[in-house]
Amino acid sequence: MSLAEELNKIRDELQTSFDSGVTMPYEYRIGQLKKCAAMIKAMEKEYFEAVQKDMKKHPAETNGTDLKFTESDLGYAMKHLKGWMADQYVKTDIVNKLDYAYQHPEPKGVVLVIGTWNYPLQCTMVPLIGAICAGCCAVVKPSEVAPSSSAVMKKYFDLFLDPLCYRTVEGGVDTAKALLTITWDHIFFTGSVSVGKIVAKAAAENLTPVTLELGGKCPVIVDENTNIDTAAKRIIWGKCVNAGQTCIAPDYVYCHKKQIATLIEKMKSHIADMYGEDPQQSDCFARIINKTHFNRLKSLLSDGTIAVGGTTDEDTHYIAPTIITNPVLDSKLMTDEIFGPILPILEYEDVQSVLKYIRSKQKPLVCYVFSNNAKLIDQVKKRVSAGTLDVNDCLMHMMVPTLPFGGVGHSGIGKYHGKATFDEFTHHKSVLHKPIGMESVNNLRYPPYDAEWKQNLMYSLAYYKPSM
């Protein structure tokens, strides 16, 4: 059996399960979520070891930014699932006053989830949790770029989840391409903009709805009116978590010229505080995922002046936390998403020039601003289009389950986390339930139109009038 035939067979089997209605009851969905909770507990030790093998990432960092994040999202979903599944009633106008109008959440069907490698469990399982909550069946493909993590996830997904409704498929580019030739009811993809375009193009062939969680260059604005030491600490932490291999990591900093020298010195100090004088010896600092990404990042080091760091080791894929000043604006350092522990810093005097620069680029996944100036924060909020605005911190918006997360334009399509993930995999069907009686009232709308005043009366009651 060819790869395409095997994948189509899986798709057909899941369709049969979905058509049977097995995923529709609350009891089934909550039961699968409880199995997810048990699975996370069971896989914890092996998962930590796998991520450490893939990226040399400290178990505490994996626990806090990946596993516990997933566990928290799962717990929130379990608590609120029954309410999410309920019909949502809406108000009616006077003509439909005796009718019932509501939205009924129904699962989209059989969906595809394509995960990524930098936070393997979080970026694969959180979408899957939403699909389970919605009542969908799903094929899940972890990223082959993190092979150890992928293998552990497949092992435990297969052990704990219902194989009639949820299947895990491993493989490389050929597998991904084959999956994209199949018709799905929704595709959820996390990864690069370039691959996101391929996914969107394939989905468009069948008018398949998509969620694209992509990335881009996330700017940071550091105002003169802020606590520079705290700003430096939070920016360095946000940049160095996972060795900068985070879609929402600060990508470049614009700092007021009065504070830029202080900011760089504080950043240098906090790098030493977190990772020691030689971060290469620290077990708290991860490594670049593979040689391809290492070489790409190493080539960026010549696109400006290295103020801090710059050390590399090809054998271990190590790149030191690095600060670059005077970056060349048309270089890859400033045009491409960095996705590594390299941070360009530029100075500004007039914040309007910064806002103009950011607005001239593709819309970022996140914009960060550090300031105590309410007027400046409001300007950034209103003038910079981004998936999220984070004020006086980095990454922490991800910890709020009631804040949907996602991009805009090149940084992504759709949002997830909490109820937003449920909504991505749900069709909210509009329902109007009208009593069969009282036809004398409804006679106002029927031909023949020989009583014009009746028609006008009906429509004047039914439609809202614009204000003059």
Side-chain angles (χ1 to χ4, degrees), residues 426-451:
T426 298
H427 168 59
H428 292 277
K429 181 193 296 179
S430 295
V431 179
L432 178 67
H433 186 165
K434 184 181 289 289
I436 197 68
M438 299 191 67
E439 190 63 2
S440 59
V441 176
N442 289 306
N443 280 335
L444 289 170
R445 71 179 188 235
Y446 300 137
Y449 301 120
D450 57 348

Side-chain angles (χ1 to χ4, degrees), residues 220-223 225-227 230-231 234-235 367-374 377 389-396:
V220 185
I221 301 171
V222 180
D223 182 27
N225 181 15
T226 191
N227 185 315
T230 300
R234 293 178 181 179
I235 294 168
C367 178
Y368 298 104
V369 58
F370 286 82
S371 178
N372 292 319
N373 185 333
I377 293 168
L389 173 65
D390 212 333
V391 181
N392 293 329
D393 210 341
C394 291
L395 314 190
M396 293 305 294

